[in-house]
Amino acid sequence: MSTDSYEDILHLPHHVSHTHPPMPRQDRAAQFAPFAALSGYEDAIREAARRTVPRKELEEDEKEELDRTFSLLASQLKARGFSQTVQVTFFLPDQRKTGGNYLISSGIVRKIHMNSRILELEETGGTIRTIPLADIHQLELLS
């Protein structure tokens, strides 16, 4: 294609409308900003990809072992007058989906609330975690 066909308009001044004011530079740039046609789609994909596991039901012998460990822990807390260091594997239910995840936490048992059935654990760094006794899957006494 040759520029000869545009020779007649090539050097004319730029047209400026008398009825419409020129668009500000910032507004002109906004025309080319990214557009998300499906708002919330990325969040929905991330949520669907997030994994959870179902709660495992303990076998009878596992329940008995856990009960023995709880009894030993309770008697040590009462007799010694100080708290015991433990490692706890517990189920943390997911707030948005069915299931949850198993977490392992270790720290010092501050209290066992038998009425509300909660274990109060002081983790490293001083964070207090309350764990429902029904969610505890494994409990190991540490030295």
Side-chain angles (χ1 to χ4, degrees):
M1 187 174 226
S2 171
T3 58
D4 297 338
S5 62
Y6 296 108
E7 280 296 322
D8 57 332
I9 63 169
L10 193 59
H11 300 290
L12 288 177
H14 178 70
H15 172 71
V16 178
S17 173
H18 298 292
T19 56
H20 301 289
M23 183 182 286
R25 189 175 289 256
Q26 184 177 358
D27 293 345
R28 201 169 37 208
Q31 293 181 72
F32 303 102
F35 173 69
L38 300 173
S39 61
Y41 179 73
E42 289 297 323
D43 293 336
I45 293 294
R46 259 191 304 282
E47 180 62 23
R50 196 168 53 80
R51 301 269 183 211
T52 59
V53 295
R55 183 189 299 258
K56 298 174 193 167
E57 192 63 38
L58 292 175
E59 300 290 329
E60 283 304 313
D61 58 330
E62 292 173 318
K63 287 180 185 178
E64 289 172 8
E65 179 65 30
L66 194 56
D67 285 342
R68 277 194 296 275
T69 308
F70 270 125
S71 295
L72 180 61
L73 178 61
S75 65
Q76 285 180 351
L77 289 174
K78 192 173 188 177
R80 292 184 183 175
F82 66 91
S83 299
Q84 172 71 43
T85 303
V86 297
Q87 179 174 312
V88 184
T89 303
F90 63 98
F91 184 76
L92 182 64
D94 195 284
Q95 299 298 318
R96 292 184 235 157
K97 295 170 93 169
T98 304
N101 286 298
Y102 281 91
L103 301 177
I104 298 173
S105 183
S106 55
I108 299 170
V109 175
R110 289 296 174 205
K111 213 173 209 182
I112 299 176
H113 302 277
M114 293 311 283
N115 292 340
S116 54
R117 304 207 29 88
I118 289 177
L119 176 84
E120 194 174 294
L121 183 71
E122 183 179 335
E123 297 175 317
T124 307
T127 305
I128 302 293
R129 182 183 289 269
T130 55
I131 305 169
L133 297 182
D135 291 340
I136 295 177
H137 189 72
Q138 189 175 8
L139 179 65
E140 183 181 345
L141 303 179
L142 304 175
S143 55

